[in-house]
Amino acid sequence: MKISEALRWAQNQLDSDTARLDAEVLLCHLLGVGRVYLFTHDDQDLGRQLNTFKKMIERRRCGEPVAHITGVREFWSLPLQVTPATLIPRPDTETLVEWCLDQELPATARVLDLGTGTGAIACALASERPGWSVTATDRSREALEVASRNKTQIGLENLELVNSDWFGSLTGLRFDLIVSNPPYIAEGDEHLSSGDVRFEPKTALVSGVSGLDDILIIAAGACEHFDGTGWLALEHGYDQGESVRDILENTGYRAVETIQDLAGQDRITVGFWSQP
Ligand code: GLN
């Protein structure tokens, strides 16, 4: 079967909004080529690779995320390894990375990424700012192994990975910037039963009945881990901006502000801590 025929066949099998794109991404991964290749070589015969492609399409047809089938997802132009032990990095989270890079922080800033998963945020910040010392935590050892492989593959020397349940293993450590994309979905939310999230760890997604349990813990705990002053930046759901601003203001943060993602949805809320 030719590339063009295989893609048409796959698109019909998948029957979703992203069918064509998914089929192209999977075939590119299998062939080890970029998307342009698929168009410039559309009459190339797939030969024995057709069978593997059909198996990949069958997994996708059953709902498995593309990132789990390929084992990689690009974030901030970094090809990150992904497994079912971690959340799949989302483009929304790049809003958080951008905000951090826009701040006037010391050239040798100490930065903490809580619940790092694949290491997406931490790897992006550490690679953009070689002078920063980035610490990234996760309570899941399996997730930390994935983050560690990503750290090694990118070759980051300014990133330290720590097995910690939020601030549990960080006693005495101080930072200039604390960030997190914590679990923030409410238990029982209907979004949990469709799409990629069905295949992601619930512990990385769900946070109590309101979805705000972990954000409350992080906002309160972070105050103990700034060196007098520092910024906190948290990702959250599109409808949680007001609640997160309230949490930060009630905890004593100043300059509290919510920032929208590229789709115009409330996505991150930030606050400045200054020791009273
Ligand atoms: N920090 C990771 C990410 O942004 C994981 C987030 C999570 O598991 N909630 O992809």
Side-chain angles (χ1 to χ4, degrees), residues 87-90 93 113-121 181-183 204-205 235:
L87 199 79
I88 300 166
R90 307 285 202 271
T93 305
D113 173 24
L114 293 162
T116 198
T118 58
I121 300 169
N181 174 22
L205 295 162
E235 180 168 333

Side-chain angles (χ1 to χ4, degrees), residues 231 248-249 252-257 270-276:
W231 282 100
L248 263 52
E249 274 162 5
Y253 289 85
R254 295 192 222 155
V256 174
E257 191 192 350
V270 302
F272 185 72
W273 179 262
S274 167
Q275 201 62 41

